């Protein structure tokens, strides 16, 4: 079964141009303390007149004008939670928020069978909850680094679908796998 939040995001993504990043970047700015970021360049995320691939902290695929990575660790003052709208960036290959002040849970809608996430790095954050079952559905996931995070619970059975998964580091994550 697909959670209703994932269906809503999938329908929303289908109605937007492929290169559109305004809604997910705005949601990230709002949920991740954008008003407190020490680098004013992040405000480019709020300007719909700036093309996605010219916004601060993003790198795009050369052949397709879609966001490939976001340099989260370059954003001083990053805090708050990861919004589900980030899942609208289906060409995003890596989420690396290690050693940031992010908290909350990983939204299930962040990952889908069509996402291209290869690496999830949440080491030394206050992100809590369990790894969402949807994390392992895409077939592109290679690495999960969650050492010293606030994860708990069990690893979902969908991990068996992650055929490219090479490494999962849950060392010192609270009660993970128990």
């Amino acid at each position: 079964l697909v959670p209703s939040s994932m269906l809503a995001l999938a329908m929303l993504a289908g109605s937007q141009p492929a290169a559109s990043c305004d809604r997910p970047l705005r949601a990230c700015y709002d949920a991740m303390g954008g008003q407190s970021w020490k680098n004013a360049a992040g405000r480019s995320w709020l300007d719909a007149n700036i093309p996605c691939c010219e916004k601060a902290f993003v790198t795009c695929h050369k052949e397709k004008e879609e966001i490939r990575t976001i340099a989260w660790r370059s954003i001083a003052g990053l805090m708050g939670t990861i919004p589900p709208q980030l899942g609208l960036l289906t060409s995003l290959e890596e989420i690396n928020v290690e050693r940031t002040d992010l908290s909350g849970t990983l939204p299930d809608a962040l990952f889908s069978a069509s996402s291209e996430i290869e690496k999830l790095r949440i080491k030394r954050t206050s992100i809590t909850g369990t790894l969402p079952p949807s994390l392992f559905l895409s077939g592109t996931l290679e690495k999960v680094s969650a050492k010293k995070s606030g994860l708990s619970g069990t690893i979902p059975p969908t991990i068996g679908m992650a055929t490219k998964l090479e490494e999962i580091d849950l060392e010192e994550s609270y009660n993970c796998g128990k």
Side-chain angles (χ1 to χ4, degrees):
L1 292 175
V2 178
S4 59
S5 60
M6 287 179 63
L7 285 175
L9 283 175
M11 290 177 2
L12 187 59
S15 66
Q16 294 181 317
S20 178
C21 65
D22 293 331
R23 177 172 279 158
L25 289 184
R26 169 63 157 208
C28 287
Y29 184 88
D30 292 341
M32 298 171 142
Q35 304 81 353
S36 301
W37 293 353
K38 305 211 182 342
N39 186 332
R43 293 197 188 98
S44 69
W45 288 16
L46 304 177
D47 189 341
N49 295 317
I50 298 174
C52 295
C53 296
E54 294 177 20
K55 294 187 187 263
F57 311 117
V58 303
T59 304
C60 287
H61 289 279
K62 289 183 179 163
E63 60 280 350
K64 53 184 180 176
E65 294 285 315
E66 295 177 355
I67 295 177
R68 193 182 91 214
T69 61
I70 299 175
W72 301 109
R73 293 175 54 197
S74 298
I75 303 172
L78 188 70
M79 62 183 162
T81 60
I82 298 174
Q85 294 90 336
L86 185 60
L88 292 171
L89 300 177
T90 56
S91 292
L92 195 62
E93 295 174 356
E94 181 175 7
I95 298 173
N96 184 346
V97 294
E98 290 181 348
R99 300 172 191 264
T100 64
D101 290 326
L102 290 179
S103 59
T105 60
L106 291 170
D108 202 45
L110 191 57
F111 312 101
S112 70
S114 64
S115 97
E116 295 182 18
I117 298 291
E118 295 172 358
K119 296 176 180 80
L120 173 65
R121 300 171 191 262
I122 58 171
K123 178 170 69 175
R124 296 181 186 262
T125 64
S126 295
I127 293 175
T128 60
T130 59
L131 292 171
S134 58
L135 172 63
F136 303 103
L137 297 178
S138 71
T140 59
L141 187 67
E142 298 171 0
K143 180 177 184 168
V144 175
S145 174
K147 181 178 182 177
K148 294 186 179 182
S149 68
L151 291 178
S152 62
T154 58
I155 297 171
T158 52
I159 192 170
M161 299 175 75
T163 56
K164 291 187 177 181
L165 186 62
E166 297 173 4
E167 181 181 344
I168 183 165
D169 182 1
L170 303 172
E171 184 181 338
E172 297 183 48
S173 288
Y174 305 100
N175 303 317
C176 207
K178 293 184 180 180

